[in-house]
Amino acid sequence: MSQYPDSPLCSRLGASVPIFGFSHSLDVVVAISRAGGIGVWGATRNTPAEIESGLARLATETAGAPFAVDLVLPKDMPARQDRSAIEEAIPTEHRAFVDGLRRKYQVPDDGLPGVRSRFVRSEEMATDQLHAVLDSEVPLVAMGVGTPPAAVTAAKERGKRIISLVGAPKHAQRAIDAGADILVAQGYDAGAHTGEIGTFSLVPQIVELAGEIPVIAAGGVATGRHILAAFALGAQAVWMGTAWLFTTEHQIDPIIAAKLVRAGSGDTVRSRADSGKTLRQIKSAWTEEWSAAAAPTPLGMPYQDILVGDLLGSVERNRIEPLMKSEAGQSVGYFSGQTTVPELMADLATQTSTATGALRNRLGHND
Amino acid sequence: MSQYPDSPLCSRLGASVPIFGFSHSLDVVVAISRAGGIGVWGATRNTPAEIESGLARLATETAGAPFAVDLVLPKDMPARQDRSAIEEAIPTEHRAFVDGLRRKYQVPDDGLPGVRSRFVRSEEMATDQLHAVLDSEVPLVAMGVGTPPAAVTAAKERGKRIISLVGAPKHAQRAIDAGADILVAQGYDAGAHTGEIGTFSLVPQIVELAGEIPVIAAGGVATGRHILAAFALGAQAVWMGTAWLFTTEHQIDPIIAAKLVRAGSGDTVRSRADSGKTLRQIKSAWTEEWSAAAAPTPLGMPYQDILVGDLLGSVERNRIEPLMKSEAGQSVGYFSGQTTVPELMADLATQTSTATGALRNRLGHND
């Protein structure tokens, strides 16, 4: 007997736990799927070759359990992989500001790229990434920003189901029109790329608009109470990202892990400084510097990626403490120490069962 | 048989419906309490004499049903009612900006104050307002911003129960330490003065921290699904404000009513332009002007009140369309036409019952 509310969506997908777990770590993704949920690999910063090998590994190690891959496919990216064209378009003021940060925080210029600058986000790269996904055995393809109709059609022709992350009713309508099979209503509370509408305010209106299309709730999910509430709001599953940063499978840098443990829900901020799009992360000297009155306005994607990518890569490699940080949602305040994926999954099951029992008691008088 | 989950809090207070309804309109407050909920009168912009007469009217017209009054009691206000001292401290740049808006939008300088400038928010005024409350028969006193321990003690000595609105765990702890009887966990999604933490992320951590102290969920509540979810999150009631702006009892200006009907959840914004504290409202030329690059940073409370109060008063009196606006939360997207308080209360009961039935079906497999 499941400790979770019944989810026709997850039953159909072959998952016994209605939790989609997003991570950039393949180990975390495997562990989530093995524990009954649906691991979602965030692969948007990976090369096509890495995506091919990563998905092959997931297909093997998940041992028949469902899993997913997440790509970010925004509109209006440059056509080709041409870093020098991007570099040329970066204003002097922005370059000077980043150079100033490099000097101020003594970040070595080691000549290496970071995760955001190892390639240019472009139509060309998106196409190659998507092909690697289509050629793989992954059954579920999540689109984190934007749901291009052509990509949806191509993936569905290969038997993939499409999950679209949306932050507003108009995005949901576009995703439905494009043919998305599942919507993730991702609220302002969420980590990484988020919109303006709070999770609580967002979910029921996406459920209403989606009709028969199942909806997953994302943004702020941390406990069994949240999981039960997501079902009350009309969702059929939850989507969690921040929680896995606290698992040992993730192998996060101890400096960042310590910052995550200290952070409360009020210690995250949405900033455009990383990618050009609003990205929720824990507050740091990085976000403070970019929100100072003298700071330039961040550039659009992919210009901001290239502007800051090498610097941020060196910050990570050389462990420049004040600028080290992590994407995180407002659920960060609920976690205060390291755990493992199976332990966390077990805790969530118990918590959901407890929350359900408490709610049943409140509903008792209606029987 | 109630269509709502059981609420020990509301039973204790004598309410049959677990909805606290906040409004500046006495007619709305009366109608909510008469329909089984708990009407909360937002009286912070009212004089002590108005509070005295308003609460006397509520005591009579609610006919034994519970009701509440809400005051805003922020720290660090000036000691005395001295508008000229406030005026003297306003920078020339700010004055020039507001004068520029007056000219641009042709707002008559009719020499009258607005709701924000009819008196200066001060310790003196707060004391007089509080005395009017203490001398009244109102059983419940809500504190919208700040929970001063002396005010709590004085109110409790007069047999009042104290409701404190909090937007973060640290505020909740302060309110508990001050002796609050009930907490409202008010999330980012809410209208008017709101913090950074989304309602979904906020509520369970306040419930956890509050222990035996009952918690009410606020911010984004619009439908029966939200009410059920609030209970799933651990709350014992919901607090709604925006919804009542759509009731005929409120007698809102038709220009503002039309703007509210058009607004989606993404069409609200938090701005410090009205009071100096972040106030969620529908987007308008007013919020756009103050967020322009050339706009000055809003002053603190009560300086901003006095800086803009007369102008906003004239905007309302003379119906200057582009600058007319309303406080509203992200629930605004759920309402698309006028209703009455009893109709809305009946709808919410039906919706909650429907949402409960749907959730029961999902929980069926756990029996």
Side-chain angles (χ1 to χ4, degrees):
Chain A
M1 301 296 261
S2 172
Q3 289 162 292
Y4 290 102
D6 188 37
S7 169
L9 166 65
C10 290
S11 302
R12 208 155 59 236
L13 299 178
S16 58
V17 174
I19 297 175
F20 287 71
F22 174 96
S23 179
H24 293 293
S25 155
L26 286 168
D27 288 334
V28 170
V29 173
V30 168
I32 292 165
S33 288
R34 286 189 161 218
I38 297 173
V40 184
W41 182 37
T44 195
R45 299 288 176 182
N46 290 95
T47 64
E50 289 165 351
I51 291 173
E52 186 185 337
S53 66
L55 290 177
R57 194 186 136 195
L58 287 178
T60 305
E61 297 189 14
T62 53
F67 64 101
V69 65
D70 181 277
L71 292 179
V72 173
L73 303 168
K75 286 193 293 190
D76 303 324
M77 293 299 106
R80 307 196 68 77
Q81 272 301 311
D82 184 350
R83 174 155 176 166
S84 62
I86 303 287
E87 298 271 14
E88 274 167 33
I90 290 175
T92 314
E93 180 201 1
H94 288 76
R95 189 78 71 192
F97 181 76
V98 172
D99 288 345
L101 292 180
R102 191 183 282 283
R103 284 190 301 274
K104 178 171 175 181
Y105 292 98
Q106 301 182 298
V107 184
D109 189 356
D110 55 16
L112 298 169
V115 70
R116 299 193 170 278
S117 55
R118 56 200 297 252
F119 55 78
V120 176
R121 193 181 288 286
S122 61
E123 296 294 344
E124 182 183 14
M125 179 56 75
T127 301
D128 292 349
Q129 288 179 316
L130 191 63
H131 278 145
V133 166
L134 297 188
D135 290 343
S136 79
E137 293 177 41
V138 71
L140 296 161
V141 180
M143 299 185 178
V145 175
T147 313
V152 173
T153 304
K156 291 180 84 163
E157 281 171 2
R158 302 291 279 269
K160 318 293 189 200
R161 281 197 177 93
I162 306 302
I163 304 172
S164 177
L165 279 76
V166 301
K170 67 183 174 194
H171 301 154
Q173 192 57 60
R174 264 187 237 140
I176 292 167
D177 294 345
D181 300 297
I182 301 163
L183 299 182
V184 180
Q186 188 201 34
Y188 164 90
D189 315 34
H193 292 116
T194 52
E196 290 286 344
I197 306 176
T199 303
F200 192 73
S201 302
L202 181 68
V203 175
Q205 58 190 302
I206 301 301
V207 168
E208 195 64 39
L209 195 147
E212 295 298 308
I213 297 173
V215 173
I216 303 165
V221 181
T223 68
R225 284 189 172 121
H226 292 108
I227 295 173
L228 182 62
F231 279 84
L233 293 172
Q236 288 197 34
V238 296
W239 175 286
M240 301 174 71
T242 303
W244 321 109
L245 300 174
F246 293 85
T247 63
T248 52
E249 289 88 342
H250 194 82
Q251 301 192 309
I252 210 162
D253 187 294
I255 290 178
I256 295 177
K259 289 190 179 193
L260 284 164
V261 163
R262 279 198 303 273
S265 295
D267 296 322
T268 70
V269 64
R270 297 190 316 150
S271 168
R272 290 182 51 226
D274 292 69
S275 73
K277 294 191 185 287
T278 50
L279 190 89
R280 187 181 293 285
Q281 55 191 285
I282 51 175
K283 288 177 186 170
S284 66
W286 173 254
T287 56
E288 273 167 41
E289 292 285 358
W290 279 94
S291 62
T297 304
L299 305 171
M301 187 185 277
Y303 300 90
Q304 188 73 13
D305 286 330
I306 298 304
L307 171 64
V308 304
D310 293 0
L311 177 80
L312 287 178
S314 179
V315 164
E316 277 193 35
R317 284 186 298 273
N318 297 291
R319 308 184 75 215
I320 309 298
E321 200 277 341
L323 298 180
M324 290 175 79
K325 64 203 185 59
S326 173
E327 299 172 17
Q330 294 188 329
S331 66
V332 73
Y334 288 87
F335 303 101
S336 56
Q338 292 269 307
T339 180
T340 66
V341 170
E343 280 169 2
L344 179 54
M345 295 286 274
D347 282 351
L348 290 169
T350 305
Q351 291 171 16
T352 305
S353 180
T354 303
T356 301
L359 184 64
R360 274 183 193 282
N361 285 342
R362 296 241 181 268
L363 299 178
H365 293 258
N366 296 336
D367 277 331
Chain B
M1 303 287 265
S2 172
Q3 289 162 292
Y4 290 101
D6 189 37
S7 169
L9 167 66
C10 290
S11 301
R12 208 155 59 237
L13 299 179
S16 58
V17 173
I19 297 174
F20 288 71
F22 174 95
S23 179
H24 293 293
S25 155
L26 286 168
D27 288 335
V28 170
V29 172
V30 168
I32 292 165
S33 288
R34 287 191 159 213
I38 297 173
V40 184
W41 181 37
T44 195
R45 298 289 177 183
N46 290 94
T47 63
E50 289 165 349
I51 291 174
E52 185 185 338
S53 65
L55 290 177
R57 195 187 136 195
L58 287 177
T60 304
E61 297 190 13
T62 53
F67 64 100
V69 65
D70 181 278
L71 292 179
V72 173
L73 302 168
K75 285 193 293 190
D76 302 325
M77 292 300 106
R80 307 196 67 77
Q81 274 299 311
D82 184 350
R83 175 157 175 164
S84 62
I86 302 286
E87 298 271 13
E88 274 168 32
I90 291 175
T92 312
E93 180 201 1
H94 287 76
R95 189 77 73 191
F97 181 76
V98 171
D99 287 346
L101 292 180
R102 191 183 280 283
R103 283 190 302 274
K104 178 172 175 181
Y105 292 97
Q106 301 182 298
V107 184
D109 188 357
D110 56 15
L112 297 170
V115 70
R116 298 193 172 281
S117 56
R118 55 200 297 251
F119 55 78
V120 175
R121 193 181 288 286
S122 62
E123 296 293 345
E124 182 184 15
M125 179 57 74
T127 301
D128 292 348
Q129 288 178 315
L130 191 64
H131 278 147
V133 165
L134 297 188
D135 290 343
S136 79
E137 292 177 40
V138 70
L140 296 162
V141 180
M143 299 184 178
V145 176
T147 312
V152 173
T153 304
K156 290 179 85 161
E157 280 172 4
R158 302 290 279 269
K160 318 292 189 198
R161 281 196 176 93
I162 307 301
I163 305 172
S164 177
L165 279 75
V166 301
K170 68 182 172 194
H171 301 155
Q173 191 57 59
R174 261 185 241 142
I176 292 167
D177 294 344
D181 299 296
I182 302 162
L183 299 181
V184 180
Q186 189 201 34
Y188 164 89
D189 315 34
H193 291 117
T194 52
E196 289 286 345
I197 306 177
T199 303
F200 193 73
S201 303
L202 180 67
V203 175
Q205 57 190 302
I206 301 299
V207 168
E208 197 63 40
L209 195 149
E212 295 298 307
I213 298 173
V215 173
I216 303 166
V221 181
T223 68
R225 284 190 172 118
H226 292 108
I227 295 172
L228 182 62
F231 278 85
L233 292 172
Q236 289 197 34
V238 297
W239 175 285
M240 301 174 71
T242 304
W244 321 110
L245 301 174
F246 293 84
T247 63
T248 51
E249 288 88 341
H250 194 82
Q251 300 192 311
I252 211 162
D253 187 295
I255 289 177
I256 295 176
K259 289 189 178 192
L260 285 164
V261 163
R262 280 198 303 273
S265 294
D267 297 321
T268 69
V269 64
R270 297 189 316 149
S271 168
R272 291 183 48 225
D274 292 69
S275 72
K277 294 190 186 288
T278 50
L279 190 90
R280 187 181 292 285
Q281 55 191 285
I282 51 175
K283 288 177 186 170
S284 65
W286 172 255
T287 56
E288 275 167 40
E289 292 284 0
W290 278 94
S291 62
T297 303
L299 304 172
M301 189 183 274
Y303 300 90
Q304 189 72 12
D305 286 330
I306 298 303
L307 171 63
V308 305
D310 294 1
L311 177 80
L312 288 178
S314 179
V315 164
E316 277 194 36
R317 285 186 296 273
N318 297 291
R319 309 185 74 215
I320 309 297
E321 199 278 340
L323 298 180
M324 289 175 79
K325 62 202 184 58
S326 174
E327 297 172 18
Q330 295 188 329
S331 67
V332 73
Y334 289 87
F335 302 101
S336 56
Q338 293 269 307
T339 181
T340 66
V341 170
E343 280 169 3
L344 179 54
M345 294 286 274
D347 282 352
L348 290 168
T350 305
Q351 291 171 19
T352 305
S353 179
T354 303
T356 301
L359 185 64
R360 274 184 193 281
N361 285 340
R362 297 237 180 271
L363 299 178
H365 292 257
N366 297 337
D367 275 330

